[in-house]
Amino acid sequence: MLSIRTTPTRDVVSLDGLWRFALDSAVGAEPWLSRIVTSLEAPVPASYNDLFVDPAIRDHVGVVWYQREVRVPRGWAGERIVLRFGSVTHAATVYANDVLVAEHVGGYTPFDADLTGIVAPGEEFRLTVAVDNRLTHLTIPPGTVDTLPDGRLKQTYHHDFYNYAGIARSVKLYSTPQAYVADITVVTGIDGSAGVVDYRIETAGAEAADVRLRVLDESGATVATAEGAEGSVRIDDVHLWMPGAAYLYDLLVELVRNGEPVDSYILPFGVRTVEVRGTDFLINGEPFYFTGFGKHEDTPVRGKGHDDAYLVHDFQLLEWTGANSFRTSHYPYAEEVLDFADRHGIVVIGETAAVGLNLGVQGGLTGIPPTPTFAPENFGGETRNVHAQHLRELLARDKNHPSVVMWSIANEPASNEDGSREYFEPLVDLARELDPTRPLTYAAVMFATPANDKIGDLFDVLSINRYYGWYVFTGDLATAESVLEQELRGWVQRFGKPIMMSEYGADTQPGLHSVWDMPWTEEYQSDLLAAYHRVFDRIPEFVGEHIWNFADFMTGPGIHRVDGNKKGVFTRDRKPKGAAFSVRNRWRGLEGKKPDGPAERPAASEGNPS
């Protein structure tokens, strides 16, 4: 799926701004048939939950309505007119005036609605969107909805971040010619000092047109040309896209009829290769060691609403710490985030929204004995088909981003339980069919061990989430360090694959201090991370470390969460805790080094630096 861009043949109008907003209980039947009467307005993009003081809105389970008027530019006569949503959490039904134009399930991937012939250039239409935040066993992420005795709906879900909802990413109206470039796929390789770019162009529209393309370097000079919808071009003396040193070419694709361009589209891309060889993760044939974080799209007031100011500032903080990468935990992030990573050389692990496929976690938190996760009545039936569709949409959207070097199919699934292999093996096969160029991983939960995990051999990289010293052996870092090393060596011994830590950390209250190993203090967070780093440096097969989390984030209510999850090395408003400085010392010491073993890595910092 192509990003929306202005080109010589395409125009884009942003529909971001304030929309009329109402709960389903405040509107009558068929509210799309007329102007919604409401005093409430909600910004787009943003989650709606934290905007208003009414708890009935924050706690609402079900449908809310967004509405606004849209005027189609008068110059779009004879063009396709298309509506694009960056995401709607978690399901959307879209109406143009009284016509149903789109339905989409999945809160983190974009979708289009073709309005050609439904709306008219120069005229205004009423745009109405029903947004449904309910999570069930037929959604990714999953959840359950129960009816309370007083008739209210209660949402339960199995992941530890707040179920923000709304139109969280930009909405755009755009035009294309009737014959247009529908999709582009590029796969890059390296041949000596040259880059090789295999491409496939998909076109659509009633009238046939020829395809021609040019590759432009960053100065705008043409470095390669080709004709035809599928083929290969060679870039001599290629500038590679590298971590920390991004270089992007533009692929200019034109549909041509009688020698004249009918449609044009420009796709930025980078030339780079990714490979797992033995226990090494290679980018452009060189070993790469991941340093960085799991993150969240989470900010005060906006919830999961995309914000360019936070985007820029977060990447500044990544650079400040010396991080070279992050995982899009636990869902695909906004397209703007990946575009920014492409331009700035930050490596990304792209993850589906499949978090919560583990009823054992629920049992551990509630004390209620869990039922088998992959039983037919739970996630063993239609859920996998829904998961597969999310995987298709993620890979279709992000396949051309050079920053994305690996796909994570799920976070903390019950990979130790019966039925997990039957669930995941078809998804692994699908991912490899859709994109044979990128390695695959999943993030293993605490319950899955080297002895009982049933799916590790299906993947290329083992990503491990562990909280020794926090949830287990709380306050006992010596035992935590010993047990961690023993387990990680067990994963390596059984599977013989590269291994990385995809989550590790400790909740930390900023400003709380102690001279002892006291959980929740800033010193304890730093010391826990340092203990883990010592273990990483002793394991040659280790290829990366992603701390949980970059910044504190909001969660659902729970006695183990006070104003959210506090495992960030930055607060929710991006102020550094002591651990941020410790991590900065370590990662800046790793820059430019090939992490082959302890001799080439700096010692892990102990506590806060002076």
Side-chain angles (χ1 to χ4, degrees):
M1 174 177 268
L2 296 177
S3 297
I4 305 307
R5 304 183 189 280
T6 301
T7 76
T9 60
R10 299 174 178 224
D11 292 315
V12 181
V13 174
S14 173
L15 302 186
D16 293 352
L18 293 173
W19 295 43
R20 293 189 294 278
F21 177 87
L23 300 183
D24 54 359
S25 58
V27 298
E30 301 181 322
W32 60 90
L33 295 179
S34 61
R35 180 184 175 93
I36 293 176
V37 178
T38 177
S39 63
L40 300 178
E41 296 180 82
V44 172
S47 303
Y48 64 78
N49 308 79
D50 292 352
L51 300 176
F52 308 100
V53 297
D54 185 353
I57 298 177
R58 178 175 172 81
D59 299 335
H60 180 72
V61 178
V63 172
V64 301
W65 292 90
Y66 287 76
Q67 190 181 77
R68 62 162 290 170
E69 278 68 48
V70 178
R71 184 168 296 280
V72 181
R74 63 182 181 179
W76 289 9
E79 300 287 282
R80 288 179 67 245
I81 301 171
V82 188
L83 182 65
R84 165 75 161 242
F85 289 84
S87 71
V88 176
T89 312
H90 294 278
T93 307
V94 183
Y95 300 87
N97 293 325
D98 59 352
V99 179
L100 173 66
V101 295
E103 293 179 284
H104 182 261
V105 177
Y108 303 102
T109 47
F111 63 96
D112 286 348
D114 193 329
L115 305 185
T116 311
I118 299 172
V119 302
E123 296 184 4
E124 191 174 72
F125 71 94
R126 184 178 59 257
L127 176 58
T128 309
V129 185
V131 178
D132 193 338
N133 69 350
R134 284 172 289 191
L135 298 172
T136 71
H137 287 176
L138 297 182
T139 64
I140 294 292
T144 56
V145 177
D146 298 308
T147 302
L148 299 176
D150 62 2
R152 289 180 298 124
L153 298 180
K154 179 181 179 181
Q155 175 76 71
T156 303
Y157 47 90
H158 315 299
H159 54 267
D160 187 34
F161 55 93
Y162 189 80
N163 188 38
Y164 281 113
I167 304 177
R169 297 174 188 163
S170 289
V171 183
K172 297 175 181 178
L173 192 71
Y174 71 97
S175 67
T176 77
Q178 293 294 336
Y180 60 98
V181 177
D183 197 18
I184 302 172
T185 302
V186 296
V187 176
T188 62
I190 303 171
D191 182 14
S193 63
V196 178
V197 183
D198 297 326
Y199 66 88
R200 185 176 70 254
I201 315 297
E202 296 179 22
T203 63
E207 299 182 32
D210 298 324
V211 177
R212 69 185 183 192
L213 58 89
R214 290 187 290 153
V215 177
L216 312 176
D217 66 15
E218 288 191 345
S219 71
T222 299
V223 295
T225 62
E227 295 184 357
E230 189 168 358
S232 180
V233 296
R234 185 180 180 89
I235 305 173
D236 293 325
D237 299 319
V238 69
H239 294 275
L240 297 179
W241 188 97
M242 296 187 292
Y247 191 97
L248 294 179
Y249 292 90
D250 282 336
L251 184 68
L252 172 59
V253 179
E254 293 179 312
L255 296 190
V256 180
R257 188 181 300 120
N258 298 324
E260 295 296 324
V262 175
D263 186 26
S264 67
Y265 186 88
I266 296 177
L267 175 73
F269 73 96
V271 178
R272 62 103 182 94
T273 61
V274 179
E275 178 188 1
V276 170
R277 186 186 304 161
T279 57
D280 286 331
F281 192 98
L282 307 178
I283 298 180
N284 299 330
E286 296 294 329
F288 178 75
Y289 188 85
F290 295 84
T291 59
F293 303 92
K295 290 180 89 275
H296 264 301
E297 290 185 316
D298 176 278
T299 57
V301 181
R302 300 166 186 82
K304 292 198 175 304
H306 176 72
D307 185 290
D308 282 340
Y310 271 98
L311 168 65
V312 170
H313 189 57
D314 283 0
F315 271 71
Q316 284 287 297
L317 294 178
L318 290 174
E319 180 181 353
W320 178 84
T321 62
N324 61 23
S325 57
F326 63 88
R327 174 170 62 122
T328 68
S329 45
H330 300 297
Y331 37 81
Y333 290 179
E335 294 169 277
E336 293 89 343
V337 176
L338 298 183
D339 290 339
F340 202 86
D342 289 344
R343 296 195 298 270
H344 292 270
I346 297 296
V347 171
V348 178
I349 299 173
E351 186 163 87
T352 72
V355 55
L357 296 174
N358 196 324
L359 296 179
V361 172
Q362 180 189 30
L365 293 175
T366 65
I368 302 172
T371 59
T373 298
F374 299 104
E377 67 272 17
N378 293 324
F379 307 138
E382 183 63 23
T383 307
R384 189 181 65 195
N385 294 334
V386 178
H387 192 163
Q389 181 59 25
H390 282 255
L391 190 61
R392 292 186 189 97
E393 293 185 14
L394 168 63
L395 271 61
R397 192 196 73 167
D398 295 345
K399 61 187 175 183
N400 294 320
H401 287 285
S403 59
V404 178
V405 301
M406 184 159 57
W407 304 117
S408 175
I409 288 182
N411 179 72
E412 296 192 344
S415 61
N416 56 301
E417 291 188 23
D418 290 340
S420 59
R421 191 175 187 90
E422 292 78 4
Y423 182 96
F424 278 101
E425 191 163 14
L427 296 176
V428 170
D429 292 343
L430 174 63
R432 295 201 190 280
E433 176 186 348
L434 294 172
D435 181 8
T437 71
R438 289 178 175 88
L440 302 178
T441 192
Y442 68 104
V445 71
M446 285 282 291
F447 306 139
T449 69
N452 66 20
D453 184 88
K454 300 179 185 299
I455 65 174
D457 62 297
L458 300 175
F459 294 82
D460 303 294
V461 175
L462 300 174
S463 298
I464 311 297
N465 295 356
R466 288 298 178 268
Y467 291 98
Y468 296 124
W470 187 247
Y471 297 122
V472 184
F473 309 121
T474 310
D476 184 355
L477 292 181
T479 300
E481 182 174 343
S482 174
V483 173
L484 175 68
E485 180 169 0
Q486 180 181 0
E487 183 185 348
L488 294 182
R489 291 190 183 280
W491 285 96
V492 172
Q493 181 177 7
R494 179 182 172 193
F495 292 104
K497 296 176 182 286
I499 187 170
M500 67 178 293
M501 189 63 64
S502 42
E503 288 187 22
Y504 63 109
D507 283 276
T508 304
Q509 181 63 34
L512 188 63
H513 301 282
S514 177
V515 297
W516 300 295
D517 282 340
M518 187 69 68
W520 288 93
T521 62
E522 293 193 41
E523 290 78 15
Y524 188 80
Q525 183 183 36
S526 294
D527 290 344
L528 182 147
L529 297 178
Y532 276 67
H533 295 157
R534 289 192 293 271
V535 172
F536 303 163
D537 291 346
R538 294 195 290 264
I539 300 177
E541 297 85 359
F542 220 76
V543 297
E545 52 197 64
H546 277 174
I547 293 170
W548 191 256
N549 191 283
F550 172 74
D552 296 344
F553 58 91
M554 188 52 59
T555 63
I559 58 173
H560 63 300
R561 293 284 177 251
V562 181
D563 195 32
N565 190 304
K566 298 293 183 67
K567 292 188 179 69
V569 304
F570 298 97
T571 63
R572 198 178 185 208
D573 60 354
R574 278 43 176 183
K575 300 297 189 297
K577 302 176 188 177
F581 297 93
S582 300
V583 169
R584 184 174 191 262
N585 280 352
R586 171 176 171 79
W587 288 346
R588 288 193 170 272
L590 287 173
E591 288 178 349
K593 295 181 180 292
K594 178 182 177 182
D596 281 344
E600 297 192 40
R601 298 184 190 172
S605 300
E606 292 288 352
N608 290 322
S610 59

